[in-house]
Amino acid sequence: MGGKSSAWRGAAAILTLALSLPPLLLAASVPSSPSDALRAWRHQRLASCASSLDVSRFHLQVLFVDDDGIRARVCESLLERIATWADAGWWIYPHSASLGEGSGVATLPSLVRLAERFGLTRSRLTDCTAKLTREDLDSYDLVLAVDSSSLDQARQLLTPEEADAYSSVLLPACDFLSNFRTTERMDALDDELRSLVANRFQEASNLLELPAETNPTEFPEEWELNLAGSALVCASLVSFSKETIDEGFVLSFQHLLGVHFYVPEEHCGITWEEAEEQLRRHIVTGALDPCERRRLFEEHMADLCEGGGRSE
């Protein structure tokens, strides 16, 4: 009965959100269904988020937020495991906080069992939950709410004038479910978590928020869906973060090329080996594959020598 009511709530929420989407977006994308309209809206929001992120530090601090002291910690723990497995552990740093009565929640037997089941860092699941503060919204690159209630409560920490400025920082965690193709998301998961997600993939992919039922004894089906949805959110977030930071590496290296090589008469004869000698002391070069660095160098030099250098 609970699953059926959740499905009805989900369908109603999709329709409500679709009807509230900006008219220009709806007209531009010509969605064939409310779900398509919502997906298009989420894509636009994530694109805005990606363009506003400061990736110059080449890592992201991510804070999950809930109002029960459980779901955000689950996401934090899963993100650590998924990012590490996907070779992005040094790029993505997960944290969690809670609101209202959820803050201060300590060890729960279900979270201890979860840590043992998936080999998650126990302290992330058993330490007391931190309370979300206004300062947190300035301290993290992304603040991701597990459901609409948590999102609304977090937004109340902002003044109406600040709301727009933080719209690319404070987001629904489930927005990331719409960002990537199935293969890309699943490739970010190890075999154990992939099996967990595969069993509930269709349901998890369509979540608007993570289920509020977090007692695995009373709600075993909802709990498994919660875990599958959380893992899929984190896998999508890892893919999003890697892509965004990779683009940051490329832009930084292109800027570096422009700073070093910009006068055709002086620089068109520079070889790749000579350029590499000059550039490799910069930290950004270590994040790019040598073949990619060389490709970008050759593109830059072709533009420089054919285009006559920078205009300024």
Side-chain angles (χ1 to χ4, degrees), residues 35-160:
S35 294
D36 287 342
L38 176 61
R39 190 175 297 111
W41 185 44
R42 282 174 158 176
H43 271 291
Q44 186 183 64
R45 199 154 56 181
L46 290 183
S48 174
C49 172
S51 66
S52 65
L53 281 174
D54 176 12
V55 296
S56 62
R57 294 172 290 115
F58 307 122
H59 74 268
L60 297 176
Q61 299 282 349
V62 180
L63 180 69
F64 290 99
V65 178
D66 64 25
D67 58 3
D68 54 32
I70 297 175
R71 288 172 290 172
R73 283 194 283 180
V74 170
C75 288
E76 175 192 357
S77 303
L78 286 170
L79 181 57
E80 179 187 42
R81 170 170 169 164
I82 293 168
T84 301
W85 190 87
D87 198 27
W90 64 288
W91 290 1
I92 304 169
Y93 296 87
H95 310 269
S96 63
S98 197
L99 293 142
E101 296 179 1
S103 60
V105 173
T107 305
L108 295 172
S110 59
L111 296 185
V112 173
R113 291 193 296 270
L114 181 64
E116 294 170 350
R117 177 181 173 185
F118 291 113
L120 305 176
T121 302
R122 182 168 174 148
S123 61
R124 290 188 183 272
L125 289 164
T126 59
D127 287 352
C128 286
T129 311
K131 184 176 178 63
L132 183 73
T133 66
R134 170 64 182 80
E135 290 71 27
D136 289 330
L137 302 182
D138 293 316
S139 301
Y140 295 90
D141 298 292
L142 291 171
V143 180
L144 305 179
V146 302
D147 61 12
S148 58
S149 173
S150 302
L151 183 64
D152 290 342
Q153 291 179 68
R155 283 173 174 163
Q156 289 173 18
L157 298 173
L158 299 167
T159 66

Side-chain angles (χ1 to χ4, degrees), residues 19 55 86 105 120 122 138 162 167 210 212 218 225 239 279 281:
L19 292 174
V55 296
V105 173
L120 305 176
R122 182 168 174 148
D138 293 316
E162 292 175 318
S167 61
L210 296 178
E218 294 183 26
L225 178 59
S239 297
L279 298 173
R281 68 177 182 272

